[in-house]
Amino acid sequence: MEYRIEHDSMGEVKVPADKYWAAQTERSHENFLIGVGIETMPREITHAFGILKKAAAMANHKLRPERMTEEKLSAISTACDEVISGSLNEHFPLVVWQTGSGTQSNMNANEVIANRGNEVAGKKILHPNDDVNMSQSSNDTFPTAMHISAVLAVEDKVLPAIDELVSTFRRLEEEHKGIVKSGRTHLQDATPIQFSQEISGWRTSLERDREMLVSALPYLKTLALGGTAVGTALNANPAYVEALAPELAKITGLPLVKADDLVDGTQNLDAYAYVSASLKTCAISCSKMANDFRLMSSGPRCGFQEINLPAKQNGSSIMPGKVNPVIPEVMSQAAFCIMGNDVCITMAAEAGQLELNYAEPVLYHKLFESINALAGAVETFVDNCVSGITANAERCQALVDGSVGIITAICPQVGYQFAADIAKKAIKTGQSVRELLHESGKFTDEEINKILDPHSMV
């Protein structure tokens, strides 16, 4: 491999000749040999850096055209567009394990954009710090990149996945109206419920979880960019600070605004704790559904066998014909990961001292892990499981007829104690509730049929 020599305030550094990064990126690349090739800084962050560096250059050009000339703006914009498109991803090698303020990732963007911009201009007109990083600090750019990328990821990935699952449940509700099954509480017989009602419970929880997630996004649409080092906007023109959010909104199409308190925006990560909690809440709901599916489809001969899940792959290397509920199992495993990530995010959000939180990189790493895990798992859940669920109507009816839970319907006529005695006798003898009520002589067969009609109970 060929190298070139780059310089920074610490001296000379050898950098691969075919890469646009420079000295500070290379030092981080050599110093943090953790998760190399596996835990690279999320590409969404790289994408967002391209957006914010372009917006900063545009704002600086409007206010200081003598320093941010048209020629420099053009070169930076071209390089930033390439960063945004992902065509320069190979020039962003850094892992999430780096200094807590994300300085190395900020400098990685500055160096790549400067070197690529100089190549576009055909001469050396850009300096990574003086031009690409003009009026900025890692302390305000890194959080801003995270805000932008997190909003885009949630809106482009997670919300559409949830919406598709909600839509699928709505279809299943319509298709399964009229099918009555045994309700269960504590995994014991309870009163009947329509399968469509059970589906509506899953759907409603998702709709509520979606509302929680959406309610968290406005806090990420307020940006600390312009606060520079500690939120005081040192070295930044006040007009520049005000111009940034509109430029970012123009590029992204998002309703981005400047934070009312830039010091708060630089110090605190509680907004991410809120977003993470909302992702976790949705994951919990999805995992609960997955567990319901596993129970209701258990069998095919020795379990509930109330519903059928699409068969996706063989379930055993030794038991022929065995098919396991692999998609619900994956959904729950993704949820476990998201729950664990939320603990990490909670601790990282709490961990900052004074004017900066040092745990930003790991927080962002875990947040994107959760976003991608939830979006991917829900998409798989919908496409490979939920969309193909069907009910075994005859099996559902048979379980309702044999359930002890239906005894609840006679309580208003005979009182709790008599009903409890019938239930105990049914369990002990194996007789049905219907048979025992007939033997009691308290009701005619017509009355029994009316009282124990499962459709009247739901």
Side-chain angles (χ1 to χ4, degrees), residues 26-34:
E26 183 61 28
R27 290 190 191 281
S28 180
H29 194 35
E30 295 174 0
N31 287 335
F32 300 101
L33 299 176
I34 310 172

Side-chain angles (χ1 to χ4, degrees), residues 23-45:
Q24 292 201 43
T25 302
E26 183 61 28
R27 290 190 191 281
S28 180
H29 194 35
E30 295 174 0
N31 287 335
F32 300 101
L33 299 176
I34 310 172
V36 175
I38 301 172
E39 295 172 317
T40 303
M41 184 63 67
R43 288 305 173 204
E44 294 89 347
I45 296 287

